[in-house]
Amino acid sequence: MHTVWKGNLSFGLISIGIRIHSVIEDKDVKLIGIHKDCLVPIRYEKIAPGCEDGEVKPEDIVKAYEYSPNKYVVVSKEELDALKKEYEVQSVDIISFVQLEEIDPVYFDRSYFINAMEGSEKTYILLKQALERTGKIGIVKISLRNRQHLAIIRVHEDGLILETIHYPDEVRSITQVPNLPSEQEVTIQRKELVAATTLINELTVPFIPEDYTDEYRTALLDLIEEKIENEEVEVKPVINPKKVDLKNILDALNASIEQTKRINSAAKKKTAVKTKKETS
């Protein structure tokens, strides 16, 4: 499992060597854009509208903040690196302890497993058992992904977990939601509330995470697998001339022949499947 951060976690005068690993594994199905006729991936060029330099090179791009329409203040890489270095959290200190219930779930962001480095197993277990006994969670600050985060440390099953949380000024107030219904303006009959409460109780079950799946992702993967099995595979019909080595023209010709055979074979199978479906 990839280590996202490693360093020391301080608990009073106790120091625990830790590594943290991302809890979440991205399962999103990646689809790319290709040209429908040429069957090659689309490349997006970086340009500056109105600039005569054409495609912008990476070394010509700088960071800036737009403080008003079409007005920018440029921040150099050296200035950004200096700020990151100055405010980077090298060691994680538990600032305070609170009850988990005091933090609204809207504040939670990303989760990370915490593991102990060699030699820190005892202090790791000590903190875990102390948190279990008190029912508290620890508040910390940590630098991840080039920015400083507020986070909590809590017990999770057989170990500890770190969860980054949003700063208060990052969370909008529900009062900003337009046309939010008001309880003073809507009358709920007692029998309606009783019926709704009864329905909730009837639908209440223990939460088992494995009972819930991403049905769209599963259906998309099934569709892709079906297309592969039915030879509905798009194959690029031509070889990119830029990639042909002129010293190996014979190899390129032989490769072209084999590619053409595969394309023709796939096309024949596709036609046969289509004909079979139409006659059945």
Side-chain angles (χ1 to χ4, degrees):
M1 188 178 288
H2 176 67
T3 298
V4 177
W5 186 92
K6 64 178 180 179
N8 291 321
L9 168 63
S10 296
F11 167 41
L13 297 177
I14 297 174
S15 182
I16 310 170
I18 64 168
R19 292 186 178 90
I20 68 172
H21 318 273
S22 180
V23 171
I24 305 303
E25 181 180 359
D26 185 7
K27 293 285 189 175
D28 192 22
V29 181
K30 306 296 183 184
L31 298 176
I32 64 171
I34 65 172
H35 190 278
K36 68 175 183 177
D37 296 323
C38 300
L39 302 179
V40 293
I42 302 299
R43 188 183 75 176
Y44 297 93
E45 298 180 348
K46 294 180 179 180
I47 62 171
C51 183
E52 298 179 356
D53 292 341
E55 186 175 357
V56 180
K57 298 178 181 179
E59 58 267 25
D60 295 326
I61 300 175
V62 296
K63 299 292 185 181
Y65 178 78
E66 186 176 14
Y67 61 93
S68 64
N70 299 319
K71 290 186 178 181
Y72 308 92
V73 56
V74 175
V75 183
S76 70
K77 182 179 182 302
E78 291 74 20
E79 290 172 320
L80 287 173
D81 289 343
L83 280 175
K84 289 176 184 177
K85 185 176 181 180
E86 181 179 355
Y87 290 98
E88 183 179 8
V89 179
Q90 300 288 349
S91 177
V92 177
D93 298 324
I94 297 182
I95 303 168
S96 58
F97 294 92
V98 301
Q99 297 287 347
L100 178 60
E101 295 76 16
E102 294 181 62
I103 303 177
D104 192 297
V106 73
Y107 282 91
F108 288 94
D109 185 18
R110 297 180 66 91
S111 302
Y112 300 87
F113 292 126
I114 302 176
N115 191 18
M117 291 186 186
E118 186 177 351
S120 293
E121 294 86 354
K122 184 173 182 177
T123 48
Y124 179 94
I125 295 298
L126 172 63
L127 176 59
K128 176 180 177 294
Q129 291 185 355
L131 290 176
E132 284 178 321
R133 186 164 185 170
T134 59
K136 301 290 177 60
I137 62 173
I139 304 291
V140 302
K141 284 187 177 181
I142 187 171
S143 293
L144 292 170
R145 306 182 189 278
N146 296 319
R147 59 163 292 193
Q148 189 183 96
H149 295 269
L150 188 63
I152 64 108
I153 291 177
R154 66 179 179 87
V155 175
H156 175 72
E157 296 181 357
D158 295 329
L160 297 174
I161 196 171
L162 179 142
E163 295 181 90
T164 56
I165 60 177
H166 297 289
Y167 286 97
D169 60 355
E170 295 177 318
V171 179
R172 291 172 174 166
S173 170
I174 196 170
T175 58
Q176 296 177 267
V177 178
N179 304 318
L180 190 68
S182 171
E183 292 188 24
Q184 286 72 35
E185 298 172 355
V186 178
T187 301
I188 301 296
Q189 300 295 329
R190 187 176 185 279
K191 60 182 180 180
E192 295 172 332
L193 183 58
V194 170
T197 304
T198 301
L199 178 59
I200 290 174
N201 290 333
E202 289 293 328
L203 293 175
T204 300
V205 297
F207 177 64
I208 303 174
E210 291 75 18
D211 288 347
Y212 304 90
T213 59
D214 186 338
E215 296 173 348
Y216 168 77
R217 187 182 74 211
T218 301
L220 178 56
L221 289 173
D222 288 343
L223 174 63
I224 292 171
E225 188 64 31
E226 182 182 353
K227 284 180 172 289
I228 294 173
E229 290 179 357
N230 293 333
E231 301 293 340
E232 296 181 30
V233 180
E234 299 291 347
V235 182
K236 183 182 174 184
V238 296
I239 295 178
N240 188 343
K242 294 181 180 179
K243 295 184 179 180
V244 175
D245 185 355
L246 295 179
K247 296 180 181 179
N248 297 296
I249 293 179
L250 182 59
D251 292 341
L253 289 172
N254 288 330
S256 298
I257 293 170
E258 293 299 319
Q259 184 184 61
T260 303
K261 288 180 179 178
R262 289 195 298 271
I263 293 172
N264 291 338
S265 176
K268 289 178 181 179
K269 289 182 179 179
K270 183 176 180 181
T271 302
V273 171
K274 183 178 180 182
T275 303
K276 185 178 180 181
K277 289 181 177 179
E278 290 175 348
T279 56
S280 59

